Amino acid sequence: RRGKSNSCGCMVGKNIIHGKSETKEYVAWADMIQRCTNHKVDSYPHYGGRGITVCEGWYSFLKFYEDMGDMPVGKNSLERVNVNGNYEKSNCTWINIIEQAKNKRNSRWLCAGGKKMVMSDWSRYFGLSHSSIWLHLKKGKSFQEIFDFYNKKKK
């Protein structure tokens, strides 16, 4: 606060506790704690406010890091596999932001041709805009009808 320290608190005297306070893993951990425990954070209603918790051991960055390890190259977000589940080793993984965007409560999953994808993936698959598919659905067509029509055009 006074501008006299360069430490986030991970240093005690000259002994470094973990030395990872400026890593992306630490930032992901700190953000997770905040969104689940701090009601003043904008994202709190979507996490702590609806009952998403952090497992007891993960209140320690060292335990979190022991369980999750380094964030792999190309992965840049902490993901809860079950969007309604808690933050714990069995429900978390590192994932890239594009893939994580699919794991939201409002994602629209569509199935056809033995595939299950979100609408944005289907639009890329067919080379259509997201709104084109949405308009067909809004007009009352089933996704299977849309799939059959555009799949024939694709061949």
Side-chain angles (χ1 to χ4, degrees), residues 119-120 123 128-139 146 150:
M119 198 178 304
S120 58
S123 66
L128 296 171
S129 69
H130 184 273
S131 57
S132 294
I133 296 173
W134 183 247
L135 278 172
H136 286 300
L137 291 170
K138 202 172 176 184
K139 289 179 180 178
I146 299 166
Y150 284 107

Side-chain angles (χ1 to χ4, degrees), residues 78-86 89-93 103:
L78 180 63
E79 163 86 339
R80 283 174 298 121
V81 177
N82 172 357
V83 72
N84 294 310
N86 296 320
K89 185 177 181 179
S90 64
N91 192 41
C92 289
T93 188
N103 190 19

Side-chain angles (χ1 to χ4, degrees), residues 18-69:
H18 56 69
K20 294 202 166 277
S21 62
E22 295 184 20
T23 64
K24 52 193 173 188
E25 294 85 3
Y26 186 87
V27 170
W29 171 80
D31 288 347
M32 168 192 68
I33 298 293
Q34 288 297 305
R35 63 181 164 256
C36 289
T37 62
N38 185 349
H39 68 278
K40 293 179 181 177
V41 174
D42 288 343
S43 56
Y44 177 82
H46 304 290
Y47 294 88
R50 64 183 195 94
I52 305 297
T53 62
V54 176
C55 70
E56 189 175 324
W58 279 14
Y59 283 95
S60 158
F61 172 72
L62 292 174
K63 178 60 177 158
F64 168 82
Y65 185 71
E66 179 185 312
D67 286 348
M68 294 302 296

